PDB file of all heavy atoms in Angstrom:
ATOM      1  N   ARG A 198       2.477   9.759  -1.585  1.00 98.00           N
ATOM      2  CA  ARG A 198       3.243   8.637  -1.086  1.00 98.00           C
ATOM      3  C   ARG A 198       2.722   8.228   0.306  1.00 98.00           C
ATOM      4  O   ARG A 198       2.171   9.042   1.043  1.00 98.00           O
ATOM      5  CB  ARG A 198       4.748   8.979  -0.982  1.00 98.00           C
ATOM      6  CG  ARG A 198       5.353   9.329  -2.353  1.00 98.00           C
ATOM      7  CD  ARG A 198       6.768   9.819  -2.174  1.00 98.00           C
ATOM      8  NE  ARG A 198       7.529   8.894  -1.341  1.00 98.00           N
ATOM      9  CZ  ARG A 198       8.182   7.808  -1.795  1.00 98.00           C
ATOM     10  NH1 ARG A 198       8.177   7.560  -3.099  1.00 98.00           N
ATOM     11  NH2 ARG A 198       8.826   7.018  -0.982  1.00 98.00           N
ATOM     12  N   VAL A 199       2.905   6.949   0.673  1.00 98.00           N
ATOM     13  CA  VAL A 199       2.450   6.472   1.969  1.00 98.00           C
ATOM     14  C   VAL A 199       3.558   5.680   2.624  1.00 98.00           C
ATOM     15  O   VAL A 199       4.242   4.897   1.970  1.00 98.00           O
ATOM     16  CB  VAL A 199       1.206   5.559   1.806  1.00 98.00           C
ATOM     17  CG1 VAL A 199       0.758   4.978   3.151  1.00 98.00           C
ATOM     18  CG2 VAL A 199       0.046   6.288   1.123  1.00 98.00           C
ATOM     19  N   SER A 200       3.777   5.913   3.922  1.00 97.00           N
ATOM     20  CA  SER A 200       4.759   5.103   4.643  1.00 97.00           C
ATOM     21  C   SER A 200       4.134   4.507   5.913  1.00 97.00           C
ATOM     22  O   SER A 200       3.189   5.062   6.476  1.00 97.00           O
ATOM     23  CB  SER A 200       6.022   5.901   4.973  1.00 97.00           C
ATOM     24  OG  SER A 200       5.704   7.040   5.708  1.00 97.00           O
ATOM     25  N   LEU A 201       4.673   3.369   6.317  1.00 96.00           N
ATOM     26  CA  LEU A 201       4.243   2.714   7.567  1.00 96.00           C
ATOM     27  C   LEU A 201       5.226   3.086   8.644  1.00 96.00           C
ATOM     28  O   LEU A 201       6.378   2.670   8.611  1.00 96.00           O
ATOM     29  CB  LEU A 201       4.193   1.193   7.390  1.00 96.00           C
ATOM     30  CG  LEU A 201       2.874   0.514   7.051  1.00 96.00           C
ATOM     31  CD1 LEU A 201       3.016  -0.996   7.189  1.00 96.00           C
ATOM     32  CD2 LEU A 201       1.724   1.011   7.945  1.00 96.00           C
ATOM     33  N   ASP A 202       4.752   3.892   9.592  1.00 96.00           N
ATOM     34  CA  ASP A 202       5.582   4.448  10.673  1.00 96.00           C
ATOM     35  C   ASP A 202       5.749   3.447  11.799  1.00 96.00           C
ATOM     36  O   ASP A 202       4.910   2.593  12.003  1.00 96.00           O
ATOM     37  CB  ASP A 202       4.889   5.728  11.179  1.00 96.00           C
ATOM     38  CG  ASP A 202       5.845   6.657  11.887  1.00 96.00           C
ATOM     39  OD1 ASP A 202       7.057   6.385  11.934  1.00 96.00           O
ATOM     40  OD2 ASP A 202       5.344   7.704  12.367  1.00 96.00           O
ATOM     41  N   ASP A 203       6.824   3.578  12.558  1.00 95.00           N
ATOM     42  CA  ASP A 203       7.074   2.772  13.756  1.00 95.00           C
ATOM     43  C   ASP A 203       6.902   1.302  13.443  1.00 95.00           C
ATOM     44  O   ASP A 203       6.359   0.514  14.256  1.00 95.00           O
ATOM     45  CB  ASP A 203       6.105   3.156  14.894  1.00 95.00           C
ATOM     46  CG  ASP A 203       6.149   4.664  15.182  1.00 95.00           C
ATOM     47  OD1 ASP A 203       7.143   5.295  14.837  1.00 95.00           O
ATOM     48  OD2 ASP A 203       5.201   5.154  15.803  1.00 95.00           O
ATOM     49  N   PHE A 204       7.378   0.877  12.263  1.00 94.00           N
ATOM     50  CA  PHE A 204       7.138  -0.482  11.835  1.00 94.00           C
ATOM     51  C   PHE A 204       7.844  -1.488  12.745  1.00 94.00           C
ATOM     52  O   PHE A 204       8.987  -1.301  13.146  1.00 94.00           O
ATOM     53  CB  PHE A 204       7.562  -0.699  10.381  1.00 94.00           C
ATOM     54  CG  PHE A 204       7.126  -2.044   9.854  1.00 94.00           C
ATOM     55  CD1 PHE A 204       5.830  -2.246   9.473  1.00 94.00           C
ATOM     56  CD2 PHE A 204       8.027  -3.096   9.786  1.00 94.00           C
ATOM     57  CE1 PHE A 204       5.409  -3.486   8.999  1.00 94.00           C
ATOM     58  CE2 PHE A 204       7.627  -4.329   9.314  1.00 94.00           C
ATOM     59  CZ  PHE A 204       6.295  -4.531   8.925  1.00 94.00           C
ATOM     60  N   GLY A 205       7.108  -2.567  13.065  1.00 91.00           N
ATOM     61  CA  GLY A 205       7.686  -3.623  13.900  1.00 91.00           C
ATOM     62  C   GLY A 205       7.178  -3.598  15.307  1.00 91.00           C
ATOM     63  O   GLY A 205       7.395  -4.534  16.055  1.00 91.00           O
ATOM     64  N   THR A 206       6.472  -2.516  15.699  1.00 89.00           N
ATOM     65  CA  THR A 206       5.965  -2.423  17.075  1.00 89.00           C
ATOM     66  C   THR A 206       4.479  -2.667  17.167  1.00 89.00           C
ATOM     67  O   THR A 206       3.937  -2.716  18.257  1.00 89.00           O
ATOM     68  CB  THR A 206       6.255  -1.006  17.648  1.00 89.00           C
ATOM     69  OG1 THR A 206       5.592  -0.057  16.829  1.00 89.00           O
ATOM     70  CG2 THR A 206       7.726  -0.706  17.685  1.00 89.00           C
ATOM     71  N   GLY A 207       3.824  -2.802  16.036  1.00 81.00           N
ATOM     72  CA  GLY A 207       2.345  -2.857  16.056  1.00 81.00           C
ATOM     73  C   GLY A 207       1.780  -4.254  16.076  1.00 81.00           C
ATOM     74  O   GLY A 207       0.572  -4.419  16.044  1.00 81.00           O
ATOM     75  N   PHE A 208       2.636  -5.258  16.109  1.00 65.00           N
ATOM     76  CA  PHE A 208       2.176  -6.654  16.084  1.00 65.00           C
ATOM     77  C   PHE A 208       1.199  -6.884  14.943  1.00 65.00           C
ATOM     78  O   PHE A 208       0.217  -7.605  15.096  1.00 65.00           O
ATOM     79  CB  PHE A 208       1.510  -7.042  17.420  1.00 65.00           C
ATOM     80  CG  PHE A 208       2.419  -6.926  18.585  1.00 65.00           C
ATOM     81  CD1 PHE A 208       2.268  -5.863  19.479  1.00 65.00           C
ATOM     82  CD2 PHE A 208       3.433  -7.843  18.780  1.00 65.00           C
ATOM     83  CE1 PHE A 208       3.117  -5.742  20.565  1.00 65.00           C
ATOM     84  CE2 PHE A 208       4.281  -7.723  19.873  1.00 65.00           C
ATOM     85  CZ  PHE A 208       4.136  -6.670  20.755  1.00 65.00           C
ATOM     86  N   SER A 209       1.457  -6.254  13.824  1.00 66.00           N
ATOM     87  CA  SER A 209       0.503  -6.454  12.704  1.00 66.00           C
ATOM     88  C   SER A 209       0.726  -7.834  12.133  1.00 66.00           C
ATOM     89  O   SER A 209       1.807  -8.393  12.238  1.00 66.00           O
ATOM     90  CB  SER A 209       0.751  -5.395  11.651  1.00 66.00           C
ATOM     91  OG  SER A 209       2.026  -5.572  11.092  1.00 66.00           O
ATOM     92  N   SER A 210      -0.315  -8.345  11.505  1.00 73.00           N
ATOM     93  CA  SER A 210      -0.119  -9.627  10.871  1.00 73.00           C
ATOM     94  C   SER A 210       0.553  -9.380   9.543  1.00 73.00           C
ATOM     95  O   SER A 210       0.085  -8.629   8.700  1.00 73.00           O
ATOM     96  CB  SER A 210      -1.453 -10.347  10.683  1.00 73.00           C
ATOM     97  OG  SER A 210      -1.912 -10.204   9.366  1.00 73.00           O
ATOM     98  N   LEU A 211       1.721  -9.957   9.392  1.00 82.00           N
ATOM     99  CA  LEU A 211       2.519  -9.746   8.172  1.00 82.00           C
ATOM    100  C   LEU A 211       1.777 -10.214   6.930  1.00 82.00           C
ATOM    101  O   LEU A 211       2.036  -9.754   5.831  1.00 82.00           O
ATOM    102  CB  LEU A 211       3.846 -10.479   8.275  1.00 82.00           C
ATOM    103  CG  LEU A 211       4.893  -9.835   9.172  1.00 82.00           C
ATOM    104  CD1 LEU A 211       6.133 -10.717   9.210  1.00 82.00           C
ATOM    105  CD2 LEU A 211       5.219  -8.444   8.696  1.00 82.00           C
ATOM    106  N   GLY A 212       0.832 -11.122   7.131  1.00 82.00           N
ATOM    107  CA  GLY A 212       0.099 -11.693   6.019  1.00 82.00           C
ATOM    108  C   GLY A 212      -0.651 -10.663   5.209  1.00 82.00           C
ATOM    109  O   GLY A 212      -0.998 -10.918   4.045  1.00 82.00           O
TER     110      GLY A 212
END
Side-chain angles (χ1 to χ4, degrees):
R198 299 173 50 86
V199 177
S200 57
L201 263 190
D202 201 2
D203 306 340
F204 188 77
T206 59
F208 301 105
S209 64
S210 101
L211 283 178

